[in-house]
Amino acid sequence: MSRIDCLLRAMTLEEKLGQLNLVTAGQAVTGPVVCGDTTKDICAGRVGGVFNLWGLDALACAQRSAVEETRLGVPLLFGLDVLHGHRTIFPIPLAETGAFDSRLWERTARAAALEAASEGIHLTFAPMLDVSRDPRWGRIAEGPGEDPLVGEKFAQAKVRGFQGDDFSRFYPLAATAKHFCAGGAATAGRDYAAVDVSERALHEVYLPPFRAALEAGCAAVMTAFNNVNGAPMAAQRRLLNGYLRRRLKFDGVIMSDYTAIAELVEHGVAADSVEAAAIALKAGVDMDMVSGVYLAHLPEALDRCLVDMRDIDAAVARVLQLKDRLGLFDDPYRVVRLDAGAKETHRRLALEAARRSATLLTNRGLLPLSANVRRIAIIGPLADAGADMLGPWSAAGGAENCVTTFAGLRRALPNCEIAHHSGVAIEGDDESGIAPACALVKGADAVVLCLGESAGMSGEAACRAALGLPGKQRQLAERVMSAGAPTVALLFCGRPLAVPWLFERAQAVVAAWFLGDRAGEAIADILTGRFNPSARLAVTWPQEVGQVPIFYSARSTGRPFDAANPYTSRYLDCSNDPQFPFGHGLSFSRTTLSNLRVDCAELNTSQPAKVRVDVRSESDIATEETIFLFARDRIASVARPLIELKDWTKVALQPRETATVDFALSAEAFQFPGEDMEPVVEPGDVDIFAGLSADPDRLLSARLRIVCA
Ligand code: NOJ
């Protein structure tokens, strides 16, 4: 009999339910309820996992209670939100996605995994895979942006990075794909709000990254808080037991989000906590995060025949299997050893990731700053804001490791006079600092305006109805820019900010997001031209909040926009165009594409087509370019998006170099859920587009015919 069967046989009901109980320690507070001191419960075998606790001693102490004090000595599982770094903090996921580099995504996840596992953490609540097209939603910062294919590749890279490629021994850090699913489509961009999405949108947009994560072997899934089409995700039998378990054959652990099972009562689908516990278990949720209702109420649910012991045993077996997979039965105190020098390597990686994630949005010749610049004024509330550079979910990271933009610039330009004033706070009404800040601008050769949001303004429970600059920052920026010195604005943010006036007036704007520990150095490298920026937007950037949800892969309409015809799809007071399209991002070099060609006129299911395009650097500096391949299925049984991303590639170009990039496009890439939601590939003509962004006016196109056997 297997170890797990033996344990299951030996366990009392309370011990079994203990394994399903995931509690929080108070070291980080990531929800409205903190479990307090759980030592007594751990010693009594009433806890299966603990999160929000870190530090080797603290974890070893809790583990000792489980292993030495309980009757069966089942080790605890330690979880933590390690989203974009553990001690070393990398750029927030939305920013890092903009590097469009799976290898980089994997390497930062691996570094985070090693650091977390070297401190005794077993499982991360990441990757966050919510596709989102709504920058009001604060959690857009945590995920891979708006596109499902990008989400899929991001999912696979992160899972590989966290878990390692060889599961034959054990995971360095088990990954959790979250939040299953569709939270990115929360009504009006408000956290926890209901989601109403079509079955088609679920299958085309919101589910694919999760499917990809599970195909990559992801150990766990966390359900979302929201309901989807009326059924709260912690109670979604159809998507959990149906889609995940039966269709995708997922046999890992499904856990609820924080108190989400107890919240089924508030959602209005359970009369009381007993029903809530039963509904969630029956739907497929194995672990109950923080609600405590499994432990407290499943015994009564059993008595009331709302669940049976087989449901409980199956859930417990999955939790025990995960512990086994982590090697915890052999070594409950396991820590992954960090190589000597790993911390230094991770810090270097943090700089590389930060440089490759900052997006140059506009540049009217100001950047890189000229070598003649002698006096710089660095103004704004984020110029010297260390902790904010970490962004939301900064795990065990600390502001003390963070390099601010002010510090980074001073290091990069030791011979420049750099004057600093914050001018205003990030939020609040105090304008008294504007005049002294403007005084510093007089006589400056260049101004660096550091504007945006605090780290706490994105992530969970951080949604915004307005997408402008908070507080009095606009007043500050306008007064500073009226002084006439050439100004580069840096936008620190977890989402696109709708600030068209700034894009119009500043000589250059960089989306500096939250770039992590080495934000300031990376930004200084870009401002001074030591690094040629290469990031591209993983999310469409709106001009106005009223355009949201806005995304490049919209479907057509029977009345597409026509300036000459008012009865077409349009606004009275704003154009339909985004401020910047998906994929937008400038470099200091210029690249052109030409000669898009397909090696065959017809594509069948057996042989992929080779698509090629020539890429030329028109500049005198080396560059890294991202080339996107889009397609449009012109006529199908179900209207297809105007353009859809099918692939992308990156190419490094030397000055004035020309290269040819290849894509292999299989018929499968044109699969979509048919009228009955089953995947189909339909014969017919498709347009293939290559571009440096999704800007429809700048795409090269070619034609291909799909023929099905
Ligand atoms: C709630 C968040 O929604 C989730 O993403 C996180 O993993 C848990 N809290 C644990 O901190």
Side-chain angles (χ1 to χ4, degrees):
M1 205 187 301
S2 74
R3 167 148 56 193
I4 288 162
D5 290 336
C6 289
L7 272 171
L8 268 175
R9 283 215 174 170
M11 281 175 163
T12 62
L13 175 60
E14 189 179 48
E15 283 164 343
K16 288 179 183 174
L17 298 180
Q19 288 306 307
L20 308 184
N21 194 23
L22 183 55
V23 303
T24 171
Q27 201 165 348
V29 177
T30 58
V33 179
V34 176
C35 302
D37 184 3
T38 48
T39 317
K40 221 168 92 220
D41 283 336
I42 295 174
C43 294
R46 289 197 294 260
V47 174
V50 179
F51 68 102
N52 282 344
L53 183 68
W54 66 84
L56 272 178
D57 292 345
L59 295 180
C61 175
Q63 194 65 297
R64 215 168 299 119
S65 302
V67 174
E68 290 174 18
E69 305 286 329
T70 64
R71 197 174 68 91
L72 297 171
V74 179
L76 291 170
L77 178 71
F78 294 127
L80 192 65
D81 288 289
V82 179
L83 264 94
H84 55 110
H86 178 64
R87 294 272 171 197
T88 310
I89 302 299
F90 302 105
I92 54 166
L94 182 63
E96 196 196 41
T97 306
F100 281 95
D101 183 346
S102 300
R103 248 328 265 151
L104 179 72
W105 301 337
E106 183 176 338
R107 284 160 65 214
T108 56
R110 179 65 52 85
L114 293 176
E115 287 186 6
S118 75
E119 295 188 16
I121 303 292
H122 308 136
L123 169 124
T124 173
F125 302 130
M128 192 282 207
L129 299 176
D130 289 312
V131 169
S132 182
R133 293 154 172 203
D134 191 336
R136 293 172 298 182
W137 194 51
R139 308 203 76 168
I140 196 171
E142 300 171 35
E146 74 179 48
D147 184 74
L149 179 70
V150 176
E152 285 179 42
K153 298 207 177 181
F154 183 84
Q156 286 168 335
K158 288 296 176 193
V159 170
R160 272 198 311 270
F162 287 135
Q163 297 192 164
D165 340 271
D166 175 15
F167 305 158
S168 58
R169 253 167 60 74
F170 53 71
Y171 305 125
L173 191 67
T176 309
K178 74 181 188 185
H179 309 85
F180 187 75
C181 66
T187 305
R190 223 173 43 243
D191 241 353
Y192 319 120
V195 169
D196 248 299
V197 284
S198 66
E199 195 60 14
R200 172 158 308 283
L202 270 181
H203 285 276
E204 288 189 8
V205 179
Y206 298 104
L207 295 176
F210 289 93
R211 192 188 55 224
L214 301 193
E215 279 167 10
C218 189
V221 170
M222 184 191 295
T223 61
F225 283 119
N226 50 274
N227 83 44
V228 170
N229 304 335
M233 280 312 304
Q236 261 273 10
R237 209 183 267 222
R238 193 176 68 92
L239 286 172
L240 303 181
N241 271 338
Y243 181 75
L244 291 183
R245 296 269 188 240
R246 281 197 289 279
R247 185 147 164 195
L248 301 187
K249 310 265 177 289
F250 176 60
D251 63 357
V253 167
I254 299 179
M255 67 186 77
S256 78
D257 204 342
Y258 212 104
T259 58
I261 302 183
E263 289 166 22
L264 293 178
V265 175
E266 191 69 33
H267 269 287
V269 297
D272 55 26
S273 301
V274 179
E275 267 189 37
I279 291 173
L281 186 75
K282 278 287 187 194
V285 180
D286 301 318
M287 289 193 99
D288 168 5
M289 186 190 285
V290 185
S291 296
V293 294
Y294 275 10
L295 186 68
H297 300 296
L298 280 180
E300 188 178 335
L302 268 174
D303 292 344
R304 285 207 235 155
C305 297
L306 299 176
V307 295
D308 65 55
M309 194 54 103
R310 274 178 313 199
D311 302 318
I312 295 175
D313 284 351
V316 176
R318 284 189 284 262
V319 173
L320 296 177
Q321 260 147 18
L322 174 58
K323 293 184 175 183
D324 197 25
R325 210 57 193 276
L326 282 155
L328 294 181
F329 289 111
D330 300 323
D331 179 7
Y333 303 97
R334 62 155 251 185
V335 287
V336 168
R337 206 174 292 281
L338 268 189
D339 292 342
K343 288 208 171 119
E344 232 355 89
T345 312
H346 296 172
R347 262 190 87 69
R348 274 201 302 279
L349 181 59
L351 179 61
E352 179 192 337
R355 284 164 150 187
R356 297 178 67 201
S357 304
T359 327
L360 179 60
L361 296 173
T362 64
N363 186 15
R364 296 192 191 97
L366 176 61
L367 297 182
L369 294 173
S370 131
N372 299 329
V373 167
R374 285 279 157 262
R375 279 201 64 206
I376 293 179
I378 178 164
I379 307 290
L382 285 135
D384 204 23
D388 286 305
M389 296 302 103
L390 302 177
W393 300 111
S394 50
E400 65 283 359
N401 299 324
C402 238
V403 183
T404 66
T405 307
F406 182 33
L409 264 186
R410 272 189 310 188
R411 264 187 229 174
L413 298 172
N415 301 324
C416 250
E417 193 186 312
I418 304 181
H420 163 244
H421 200 291
S422 57
V424 296
I426 294 174
E427 293 181 89
D429 289 332
D430 185 0
E431 296 187 39
S432 60
I434 295 184
C438 288
L440 290 189
V441 170
K442 293 205 179 78
D445 301 321
V447 178
V448 179
L449 250 181
C450 299
L451 307 169
E453 304 177 317
S454 63
M457 293 178 80
S458 49
E460 188 182 355
C463 300
R464 297 186 61 206
L467 294 179
L469 288 170
K472 295 292 176 189
Q473 295 186 66
R474 178 169 182 170
Q475 284 78 348
L476 171 72
E478 287 187 330
R479 293 261 302 275
V480 165
M481 288 190 291
S482 350
T487 299
V488 48
L490 307 177
L491 285 176
F492 295 88
C493 47
R495 53 164 68 78
L497 295 178
V499 286
W501 55 271
L502 183 68
F503 296 117
E504 214 158 90
R505 286 196 59 189
Q507 277 71 28
V509 181
V510 180
W513 309 108
F514 297 115
L515 295 175
D517 282 350
R518 304 201 64 185
E521 289 151 288
I523 291 165
D525 286 347
I526 287 175
L527 298 185
T528 56
R530 276 176 214 175
F531 183 79
N532 185 9
S534 58
R536 307 293 180 241
L537 292 176
V539 65
T540 302
W541 194 295
Q543 300 183 52
E544 293 285 344
V545 67
Q547 296 179 306
V548 165
I550 184 167
F551 50 100
Y552 82 89
S553 59
R555 283 176 219 278
S556 188
T557 135
R559 295 186 179 189
F561 173 72
D562 173 356
N565 180 355
Y567 290 98
T568 57
S569 185
R570 66 200 298 179
Y571 298 106
L572 289 178
D573 52 358
C574 179
S575 91
N576 291 358
D577 296 335
Q579 185 80 52
F580 304 111
F582 170 89
H584 170 78
L586 306 176
S587 298
F588 298 142
S589 43
R590 203 169 72 82
T591 305
T592 51
L593 296 185
S594 61
N595 198 15
L596 174 67
R597 60 235 187 241
V598 186
D599 72 343
C600 58
E602 295 192 338
L603 177 62
N604 57 43
T605 39
S606 56
Q607 181 83 19
K610 200 169 259 179
V611 180
R612 302 190 135 156
V613 65
D614 298 335
V615 194
R616 177 167 164 75
S617 156
E618 307 287 355
S619 311
D620 293 325
I621 54 170
T623 187
E624 180 186 80
E625 194 50 84
T626 306
I627 295 104
F628 296 99
L629 189 74
F630 299 101
R632 178 176 185 192
D633 186 345
R634 294 201 138 256
I635 311 290
S637 55
V638 176
R640 304 303 306 146
L642 287 170
I643 56 169
E644 280 179 289
L645 187 65
K646 295 297 173 195
D647 203 354
W648 73 85
T649 188
K650 294 187 81 80
V651 60
L653 293 174
Q654 291 308 312
R656 310 276 161 193
E657 185 186 349
T658 302
T660 298
V661 296
D662 285 353
F663 298 94
L665 202 53
S666 67
E668 220 192 356
F670 293 92
Q671 203 174 64
F672 63 89
E675 281 170 294
D676 56 359
M677 291 300 139
E678 289 306 314
V680 284
V681 179
E682 294 183 354
D685 287 343
V686 290
D687 291 327
I688 309 292
F689 302 101
L692 301 175
S693 77
D695 180 350
D697 298 332
R698 295 187 178 193
L699 297 173
L700 301 181
S701 71
R703 212 21 109 69
L704 186 61
R705 167 157 296 174
I706 301 180
V707 287
C708 295

